[in-house]
Amino acid sequence: MINRELLEPKSIVVIGGSNNVHKPGGAVVRNILQGGYQGTLRVVNPKEDEIQGIKAFHDARELPPTELAILVVAAKMCPDYVELLAKEKGTKAFIIISAGFGEETKAGAVLEQRILDTCAQYGASLIGPNCIGLLNRHHHSVFTQPIPSLNPKGVDFVSGSGATAVFILESAVIKGLQFNSVWSIGNGKQIGIEDVLQYMDEHFDAEKDSPVKLLYIENISNPDKLLFHASSLIRKGCRIAAIKAGSSESGSRAASSHTGAIASSDSAVEALFRKAGIVRCFSREELTTVGCIFTLPPLKGRNFAIVTHAGGPGVMLTDALSKGGLNVPKIEGPLADELKEQLFPGSAVANPIDILATGTAKELGLAIDYCEQKFDDIDAIAVIYGTPGLTTLYEAYETLHQKILECKKPIFPILPSLHTAGPEVAEFLQKGHVNFSDEVTLATALSQVMNTPAPAPPEVQLYGIDIPRLNKIIFHEMNRMDTEGIKSSYLAPDVVHEILECAGIPMVPELVSSDKDELVGFATRVGYPVVAKVVGPIHKSDVGGVTLNIRTPEHLALEFDRMMKIKGATGVMVQKMLKGTELFIGAKYEERFGHVVLCGLGGIFVEVLKDVSSGLAPLSYGEAYSMIRSLRGYKILKGTRGQAGINEQKYAEIIVRLSTLLRFATEIKEMDINPLLADEHDVVAVDARILVEK
């Protein structure tokens, strides 16, 4: 629970405060004092009479009632302090800096549980233990540096790691990013990242609260809660970016399906962030860069003008923007010629607009004015202006300051000379601006922002899904597994066919049988060529269990005889042979997240390229299209070199229908549909397998 006493306490006591500002207890007291805290600050220290000018209490029992307690003492002492303060001093909020709890030992976990129980009994808030503290505009209850500039429209930052929070703050401060609050949740036993988001969502006031939230997450304990409140905040006008650390898997693990081999906890995180509308970041620099982007007016298009006095950085930014799906269109025509005439000889205006190393504040302002007022196809302006030692930077940065205030199009300042122009850059930042000192990092972050979809609608797409029939099939299979005494099983091909029919997913005509004559008769009816596949072994291709382009009954009979000799064979499947682009859809059930749905190019490409996108079931059509279009191989699906593209609408429809079906069948733990064959008209499933567990 988060209460007023935690956020705006009228009185604070630091248990373990000291005069040594190089230790946490002393640093907390120093930061609270220097932060201009307006309430009553008290300190408990049994060995000192005065702490940094404040009369010290030798014993916590001597304290008057106090609203917030910050504990910076040994872990073993914390439970008794919490009980004393909550019971006798009316303390309703605790920040426990101390480490040595559940993150280290079982004995520490016992201490932690005692604290949690006491806080629950007395209705108290708890931040930590094992954290750097809480920083907001009312009190600076942290022991670390730096303390960033604070204002109501600054960033709200929530971190699962104290040390990482400090590193992220350092990255942000040099960019000029300002903050409204910094939450270090530590072990997060009572208040986790999801709880902070819930509080921010339920108390959000668009007029007063920050619209930007940055998250550093090490553990997602409640994905549904994170999804709900992050989506809700974004729909209210907020923008959220996050790092999720610890999502990778070292090495490839053995798996019985393509989906099992590809899907991971990282796929689930990717899917969750996509559904919520959270911009995913992968480094401190990227997170703080996205945070700076969020403070500027939103981009309304993808066309950038680059104004620079250094050709190289302009070219690198052009390359990076183009790689990320953004555009640097050529500027030409009478207006371009008009601008060129007013710049120094040798200047270029085709975009990037290079005003040369001799370009002054006047030329800088002129180029920006043309981009803002006359070049209609430009949506945003990137300004690269460092120090070649030929111009007065104060004047140039003052011009840039004025243009940022005047222009409706967002301007992205790239001021790279932090060493040689430190005072000039610092003065620019003090006026409330941000600085992107590296153009490629900016372009990468911009592409992440622009390619993140809006939060998915909460409605489930039920049209065309036969849920009652699905329930009967799953119920029957669970009973079969009970009878056979097994907990997991791959479903027989005919059952897989039935389940796909429940989702309205078209399948190629096929027959499974152990009767050679029956299969030859089927092939004659549907027409040659056909495909034969062994039934029984999981990886058919690995055991020589797939033969394509069978054109005669005699060839089919020979393949039947050969395949039935393969170890584990129980029959042969014959399918009408179709042509088209091979696609893949898979799904894997991740504990706490639900089903992660994957899509991409199929056949062997799914194993070799692993070019897949992930989404969290159930999916909307918008999410499905976003998944398809984020594939590196999307140009193949669109059609290239004279070849027709696939029916993207039907592919998206199958992804959505499958995700809805999975929402009602949690017994399905892994699924592959590989390949689906697609052309400009249809998308048809050729092969599928489904693993179920009780």
Side-chain angles (χ1 to χ4, degrees):
M1 60 173 290
I2 296 173
N3 55 25
R4 193 268 308 162
E5 289 83 356
L6 178 66
L7 300 178
E8 301 177 27
K10 296 177 182 177
S11 53
I12 299 175
V13 60
V14 180
I15 308 292
S18 72
N19 285 308
N20 187 346
V21 297
H22 299 293
K23 291 186 176 181
V28 169
V29 175
R30 175 201 62 198
N31 288 342
I32 294 174
L33 290 172
Q34 291 182 354
Y37 173 60
Q38 297 298 303
T40 302
L41 178 61
R42 303 178 177 115
V43 180
V44 172
N45 185 314
K47 299 178 181 178
E48 299 282 350
D49 295 327
E50 186 177 284
I51 301 296
Q52 299 182 44
I54 301 172
K55 179 181 178 298
F57 292 85
H58 292 166
D59 191 320
R61 286 185 286 262
E62 301 170 358
L63 285 167
T66 305
E67 293 190 342
L68 167 65
I70 303 167
L71 275 60
V72 201
V73 293
K76 63 182 180 181
M77 303 169 66
C78 289
D80 290 339
Y81 272 120
V82 170
E83 185 171 0
L84 168 68
L85 292 167
K87 182 178 180 180
E88 299 183 15
K89 307 301 177 182
T91 304
K92 290 292 184 179
F94 294 89
I95 298 173
I96 301 183
I97 305 292
S98 317
F101 291 90
E103 79 280 1
E104 289 189 6
T105 64
K106 290 183 178 179
V110 172
L111 297 175
E112 195 168 53
Q113 190 59 49
R114 276 189 59 197
I115 293 169
L116 283 169
D117 292 342
T118 301
C119 288
Q121 181 181 354
Y122 293 98
S125 291
L126 172 65
I127 293 287
N130 186 29
C131 68
I132 65 169
L134 173 65
L135 170 69
N136 63 26
R137 289 177 290 111
H138 299 282
H139 61 105
H140 296 183
S141 296
V142 294
F143 70 88
T144 55
Q145 299 280 355
I147 303 294
S149 298
L150 297 171
N151 73 62
K153 293 300 180 181
V155 171
D156 288 317
F157 172 42
V158 191
S159 177
S161 164
T164 306
V166 173
F167 300 150
I168 289 171
L169 287 173
E170 289 178 344
S171 172
V173 165
I174 62 172
K175 294 180 177 69
L177 185 60
Q178 298 184 352
F179 287 78
N180 178 54
S181 66
V182 177
W183 300 68
S184 166
I185 63 164
N187 293 355
K189 291 301 181 181
Q190 187 203 72
I191 298 174
I193 289 177
E194 298 93 334
D195 302 295
V196 177
L197 281 180
Q198 178 182 2
Y199 182 87
M200 291 177 176
D201 179 25
E202 293 175 349
H203 296 81
F204 184 71
D205 183 336
E207 296 297 321
K208 298 179 180 178
D209 295 337
S210 168
V212 179
K213 320 294 179 188
L214 301 183
L215 313 175
Y216 174 81
I217 306 171
E218 292 189 338
N219 177 53
I220 301 176
S221 59
N222 192 330
D224 285 341
K225 192 172 184 178
L226 179 66
L227 171 62
F228 180 86
H229 292 292
S231 302
S232 176
L233 280 165
I234 293 170
R235 291 191 186 99
K236 291 174 180 176
C238 290
R239 308 176 84 183
I240 302 178
I243 295 173
K244 170 61 179 75
S247 297
S248 63
E249 295 187 14
S250 56
S252 58
R253 58 185 175 87
S256 60
S257 70
H258 302 300
T259 303
I262 295 171
S264 65
S265 57
D266 190 63
S267 303
V269 171
E270 186 75 27
L272 177 66
F273 283 13
R274 181 192 299 276
K275 184 176 278 295
I278 297 171
V279 177
R280 188 173 188 189
C281 301
F282 296 90
S283 70
R284 303 192 306 270
E285 282 298 301
E286 192 174 343
L287 182 68
T288 54
T289 301
V290 170
C292 290
I293 291 170
F294 282 168
T295 66
L296 301 179
L299 276 168
K300 296 182 178 179
R302 292 177 174 263
N303 290 344
F304 273 75
I306 300 172
V307 179
T308 179
H309 66 173
V315 173
M316 288 191 287
L317 179 55
T318 300
D319 290 343
L321 288 171
S322 300
K323 183 179 179 181
L326 302 169
N327 309 315
V328 183
K330 187 175 182 180
I331 297 175
E332 55 187 347
L335 288 174
D337 295 338
E338 183 180 293
L339 172 61
K340 186 176 177 67
E341 289 177 4
Q342 300 179 66
L343 299 176
F344 290 137
S347 298
V349 298
N351 204 13
I353 300 170
D354 189 349
I355 63 174
L356 305 179
T358 52
T360 65
K362 177 184 176 182
E363 285 71 39
L364 175 62
L366 189 64
I368 293 173
D369 285 342
Y370 268 75
C371 294
E372 167 71 13
Q373 301 166 13
K374 298 189 177 186
F375 298 150
D376 294 334
D377 61 342
I378 295 301
D379 303 304
I381 308 161
V383 175
I384 304 173
Y385 204 100
T387 171
L390 302 175
T391 58
T392 304
L393 282 184
Y394 283 113
E395 292 180 8
Y397 290 174
E398 176 60 26
T399 296
L400 183 57
H401 163 66
Q402 293 297 331
K403 297 304 177 185
I404 290 173
L405 297 180
E406 296 169 5
C407 292
K408 294 181 180 179
K409 295 176 182 178
I411 297 176
F412 296 85
I414 302 166
L415 316 180
S417 303
L418 300 180
H419 177 69
T420 54
E424 293 93 332
V425 173
E427 182 180 281
F428 177 78
L429 297 182
Q430 286 171 3
K431 294 175 181 177
H433 302 301
V434 294
N435 172 35
F436 307 93
S437 60
D438 182 81
E439 60 279 351
V440 175
T441 302
L442 169 61
T444 302
L446 278 166
S447 66
Q448 286 290 92
V449 171
M450 292 298 287
N451 294 327
T452 298
E459 297 80 15
V460 178
Q461 304 290 332
L462 289 172
Y463 177 75
I465 312 296
D466 193 340
I467 302 300
R469 183 184 177 193
L470 171 68
N471 290 336
K472 288 180 181 178
I473 295 169
I474 296 295
F475 181 75
H476 179 270
E477 289 302 311
M478 294 300 105
N479 284 339
R480 174 186 64 81
M481 291 164 62
D482 273 340
T483 302
E484 297 176 6
I486 56 176
K487 292 185 177 180
S488 65
S489 171
Y490 274 97
L491 299 181
D494 58 323
V495 180
V496 172
H497 200 290
E498 286 187 63
I499 288 177
L500 295 186
E501 282 182 349
C502 291
I505 298 174
M507 292 197 71
V508 63
E510 67 180 30
L511 177 67
V512 176
S513 178
S514 57
D515 185 313
K516 185 195 311 183
D517 293 336
E518 186 179 12
L519 291 173
V520 170
F522 171 78
T524 301
R525 289 194 302 276
V526 300
Y528 290 93
V530 295
V531 178
K533 302 177 182 178
V534 68
V535 175
I538 294 171
H539 296 292
K540 302 175 180 64
S541 297
D542 294 350
V543 295
V546 178
T547 302
L548 307 176
N549 204 29
I550 299 172
R551 294 184 172 274
T552 66
E554 293 77 14
H555 187 187
L556 177 58
L558 286 171
E559 290 299 333
F560 175 87
D561 292 338
R562 182 184 67 82
M563 289 184 184
M564 289 302 290
K565 294 176 183 178
I566 295 174
K567 183 178 179 180
T570 59
V572 173
M573 174 190 291
V574 172
Q575 296 175 322
K576 174 69 177 174
M577 185 166 176
L578 302 177
K579 292 183 178 180
T581 301
E582 292 187 340
L583 305 177
F584 164 79
I585 301 178
K588 183 175 184 292
Y589 186 82
E590 283 284 342
E591 198 66 36
R592 293 182 291 118
F593 286 83
H595 283 100
V596 179
V597 180
L598 307 174
C599 74
L601 289 170
I604 63 170
F605 293 107
V606 71
E607 295 181 13
V608 176
L609 300 180
K610 291 183 174 60
D611 179 19
V612 296
S613 293
S614 58
L616 201 60
L619 295 165
S620 66
Y621 280 95
E623 288 178 279
Y625 281 116
S626 174
M627 289 167 62
I628 295 168
R629 292 168 185 173
S630 67
L631 294 167
R632 295 192 301 275
Y634 178 60
K635 289 183 179 179
I636 296 173
L637 305 187
K638 287 289 289 182
T640 184
R641 290 187 173 271
Q643 294 185 351
I646 70 161
N647 190 318
E648 190 175 332
Q649 179 180 342
K650 289 199 172 181
Y651 189 28
E653 185 175 312
I654 289 174
I655 293 170
V656 171
R657 285 171 176 257
L658 179 67
S659 76
T660 302
L661 178 141
L662 292 167
R663 177 70 175 79
F664 295 93
T666 55
E667 296 86 353
I668 295 176
K669 300 305 179 186
E670 286 186 17
M671 170 183 278
D672 284 342
I673 307 178
N674 184 35
L676 297 98
L677 290 178
D679 58 23
E680 64 268 35
H681 303 296
D682 292 306
V683 180
V684 179
V686 174
D687 198 3
R689 55 188 168 190
I690 297 175
L691 175 68
V692 294
E693 288 182 5
K694 290 185 65 63

